[in-house]
Each structure stands twice: as structure tokens, then as C-alpha cells.
Amino acid sequence: VYRKNNVIKNFQEMIDNIFKPIFEVTIDPSINPDLHQMLLQIVGFDTVDDESVYEELQLKHLAWYPIQWTEEENPIYAYWMYYIYANLYSLNSLRASRGLNTFSFRPHCGESGNVDHLATGFLVADGINHGIRLDHNPVLQYLYYLEQIGIAVSPLSNNKLFLQYQRNPFPKFFARGLNVSLSTDDPLMIHVTKEPLLEEYAVAAQVWNFSTVDLCEIARNSVRQCSFEEIL
């Protein structure tokens, strides 16, 4: 959108718009105290888009540096993920060296679209949101299990957009020991009460016959994924 409207000239400018102010305020918090304080309250970064949009993979594009990406078409998912991951890695190293909080990377991944999105998520993400297409790839599912990569699933959102509730693989993932939690997604659009997360838990408990112990374990997984510091 920004490239087509000539707001930016290349993908490097997009990355700079996201990360340059954060690097600058990490080095010198006095240049923007409000941004500095806001960053102290943030634990992670997400990325959101319609994964089902067709992506044309051309190997030449993967060799381009961001400043070379001047085309109007979006870079493919893996390209986006790598450069966000790389900048977050450098940013976290810088912030840790100054005694500041660091950020996890938890992108929307595997709600729809190509299975290679999940492979990319496995390589660069601390956790993912949705991940329901892991049900179509046992090998990647096993890798996510081995590494206990967090998977925050919103079955009510999936039911609205991509997958009927009864077909959601969440109970299967949970039974197999994957690090899955229940989450909300677009609560103003999808949920009908003032407590959207309780909706997710209540419906899951009724439809999938989760016991109180099951719900406690799912909530524990949510805490494991949340990235907040431990309270001693």
C-alpha cells in the first residue's frame, strides 16, 4: 500500500520506519520519553496480514537487500519475517546491554496460506498466533512440539474466518503435548461479551469436554508464552 502510493521508495524504508525510532530511543531515552516508557510496557511484536493471499516465490527476490526491493508487490512472508527477526535480534542485544526489557517475536502464522509460513515461524519466531495449519504437516507439528514453541490459538476467530469450530485441531494439539494456549483475536468483531478470553475458555470447555485440570494447564501454557518477567 505504501509503495503503490509512493510514500516509501523501497522495503528498507519500511523497516526503518518500524525500527529506527526504537533503536534511537534505546540509545538515548531522553529524545522521546513517552516512547521510552511505552516500550517498557511491551513484551512482544506480532505481524498481521491475510496469509491466504497468493505469493509468487522468485528466488531472485530472496537475494535482494531491502533497499533493492522497489517493486509494488509485497515481499513474501519469509522475507518479511527474516528482516523483522534480524532487527529484533539486534535491538534485543542492544537493550539487554543497557539493562532494558527485550521483546519476543510472535507473528500471525499458519492460520491460512502456505505451509512454508510455519517453517519460517519455526526458524525465527519465539511463538506464533493461530498455527492451525500445523494439522496438515506432521513433521513441522513434531518440531513445534520438540521445541515447545508457543502457539496461541483463537478457535472462535478461526470459526468465523477459516475453519469450523468442530474441525479445529486445538484439542488434538493439546492432547499431543504441544505448547498451546487459548487467545482472543479481533474481540470487537468476533466476541459478544465484555470478557472475550472467558468466552474462548467457556466454549472450548463445553465443546471439547475439557476438565478443570485441562483448563488450568492451558492457562499455564499462556503464562509460559507471555514473556512477562518472573516475580520473585
Side-chain angles (χ1 to χ4, degrees), residues 33-49:
D34 290 339
L35 177 58
H36 170 68
Q37 287 298 323
M38 186 190 77
L39 291 172
L40 295 178
Q41 314 305 317
I42 292 176
V43 298
F45 281 72
D46 188 2
T47 59
V48 184
D49 203 353

Side-chain angles (χ1 to χ4, degrees), residues 35-173:
L35 177 58
H36 170 68
Q37 287 298 323
M38 186 190 77
L39 291 172
L40 295 178
Q41 314 305 317
I42 292 176
V43 298
F45 281 72
D46 188 2
T47 59
V48 184
D49 203 353
D50 184 357
E51 288 187 72
S52 64
V53 174
Y54 172 74
E55 295 178 327
E56 183 179 358
L57 175 59
Q58 295 189 31
L59 295 180
K60 67 174 184 177
H61 291 162
L62 298 180
W64 287 355
Y65 290 108
I67 199 170
Q68 296 174 291
W69 195 292
T70 58
E71 299 189 2
E72 291 186 354
E73 289 75 20
N74 252 328
I76 64 171
Y77 184 92
Y79 196 91
W80 272 93
M81 293 301 101
Y82 172 75
Y83 280 102
I84 293 175
Y85 154 79
N87 279 274
L88 274 177
Y89 186 91
S90 298
L91 177 64
N92 283 337
S93 297
L94 177 63
R95 292 182 68 84
S97 71
R98 284 163 167 73
L100 299 171
N101 62 308
T102 57
F103 311 113
S104 62
F105 184 29
R106 299 198 292 260
H108 269 50
C109 180
E111 184 178 20
S112 59
N114 297 327
V115 73
D116 64 84
H117 294 186
L118 287 160
T120 302
F122 175 77
L123 292 172
V124 304
D126 300 294
I128 62 172
N129 295 304
H130 295 295
I132 53 178
R133 284 190 58 80
L134 278 174
D135 196 32
H136 300 277
N137 194 297
V139 173
L140 276 172
Q141 189 181 141
Y142 186 52
L143 290 175
Y144 272 76
Y145 162 75
L146 290 177
E147 293 297 324
Q148 286 295 288
I149 294 173
I151 307 169
V153 186
S154 180
L156 288 176
S157 172
N158 301 151
N159 180 71
K160 181 80 171 180
L161 299 172
F162 292 105
L163 186 67
Q164 290 183 348
Y165 202 97
Q166 293 83 351
R167 297 174 56 202
N168 196 291
F170 181 90
K172 187 189 306 182
F173 291 169

Side-chain angles (χ1 to χ4, degrees), residues 106 127-132 148-156 158 165 168-171 173-175 177-185 197 200-201 204 208 210 214-227:
R106 299 198 292 260
I128 62 172
N129 295 304
H130 295 295
I132 53 178
Q148 286 295 288
I149 294 173
I151 307 169
V153 186
S154 180
L156 288 176
N158 301 151
Y165 202 97
N168 196 291
F170 181 90
F173 291 169
F174 177 64
L178 277 76
N179 180 12
V180 289
S181 65
L182 288 169
S183 70
T184 63
D185 189 34
L197 188 57
E200 292 282 359
Y201 273 82
W208 293 323
F210 285 148
D214 293 332
L215 297 178
C216 287
E217 185 173 345
I218 294 168
R220 177 179 179 271
N221 287 344
S222 185
V223 174
R224 291 171 61 196
Q225 297 171 18
C226 74
S227 302

